Amino acid sequence: RAGVGPLGLRVDPLLQCTDPGVFRPIEGPRRTDVVFVGKSRGVARPAVVYPVRAGIPLRVFGGEWDGILPEGYVEAEYVENSRLGDLYGRAGAVLNDHWADMRDQGFISNRLFDVVAAGGRVLSDDVEGIHDVFGDSVVTYASPIELVELLRRGADSLFPSEDELRDNAARIARDHSFRARARVLLDAAIEQLAGSSAAMDPRP
């Protein structure tokens, strides 16, 4: 959130963003699968391991899961970026988690922007501001055990209508695209240059 930095200067954060050309809603029925895209990071990530131990079917895409997940859970070690929009947008739910330091300091994962822009539904650990940014397209859990409980309830009972998901997708595409971030930087540069020019103008 905006504030004043240690040097007394105003600080406006630029959140992560997405490419609406890749991540956008597409026509077609919603699937029932639960998807996770990401490497293991060399650890047993609770957002993946707990549901697997509870017997919940997952489609995992990513590497370094050998010895962590049972055989058959990893569908592929790599997904082309051009395929992610479809994978995210029509999934029953997409799982997300954050590094602990990112979560504690309020850094929201870029995956959330991509999934919601694609019209998708996300289950994520909580970071301050998530609901303000994504609305009900993201449902948060406080612990891996709560995540398992939510998955057992079924994704359809957790998320809003397809119309609301599309509305959220359109808002993310408008307000949180790379173009939107570039506009903020350009406007700030223009404002700075205008202020500098005025300060240098010798005319009374």
Side-chain angles (χ1 to χ4, degrees):
R1 63 182 56 175
V4 178
L7 299 179
L9 300 175
R10 177 181 173 82
V11 176
D12 292 293
L14 288 180
L15 303 180
Q16 294 274 12
C17 50
T18 189
D19 181 356
V22 175
F23 300 100
R24 61 186 186 277
I26 59 173
E27 296 299 328
R30 184 167 297 281
R31 304 186 304 268
T32 59
D33 54 345
V34 180
V35 170
F36 179 86
V37 179
K39 295 182 178 181
S40 73
R41 304 173 182 161
V43 297
R45 296 172 71 164
V48 177
V49 171
Y50 271 70
V52 168
R53 289 176 179 170
I56 295 172
L58 299 184
R59 298 176 68 194
V60 178
F61 298 83
E64 303 175 8
W65 289 103
D66 291 346
I68 297 176
L69 294 181
E71 188 173 345
Y73 270 92
V74 178
E75 190 165 321
E77 293 193 0
Y78 175 75
V79 182
E80 293 183 2
N81 199 56
S82 60
R83 289 186 52 215
L84 277 176
D86 175 69
L87 182 64
Y88 286 158
R90 307 313 300 173
V94 177
L95 301 184
N96 181 72
D97 61 4
H98 294 79
W99 285 107
D101 53 353
M102 287 181 62
R103 183 175 61 248
D104 294 343
Q105 297 180 43
F107 288 90
I108 298 175
S109 168
N110 65 293
R111 181 182 291 111
L112 298 181
F113 293 89
D114 293 342
V115 178
V116 177
R121 313 190 299 193
V122 191
L123 285 162
S124 176
D125 52 349
D126 196 14
V127 174
E128 183 180 1
I130 276 185
H131 185 74
D132 294 336
V133 176
F134 302 106
D136 293 334
S137 293
V138 177
V139 171
T140 58
Y141 57 86
S143 69
I145 293 175
E146 184 181 3
L147 170 60
V148 170
E149 293 172 349
L150 291 170
L151 288 169
R152 283 175 172 161
R153 285 171 52 185
D156 287 344
S157 68
L158 304 175
F159 294 98
S161 68
E162 294 294 334
D163 286 343
E164 184 172 340
L165 292 171
R166 284 181 175 272
D167 287 345
N168 287 337
R171 181 172 50 78
I172 294 300
R174 182 190 69 232
D175 297 341
H176 299 285
S177 66
F178 288 106
R179 181 182 294 273
R181 296 292 181 266
R183 169 53 61 184
V184 171
L185 294 173
L186 180 60
D187 288 346
I190 291 172
E191 181 180 353
Q192 181 67 30
L193 287 172
S196 298
S197 298
M200 295 173 60
D201 192 340
R203 293 174 296 178

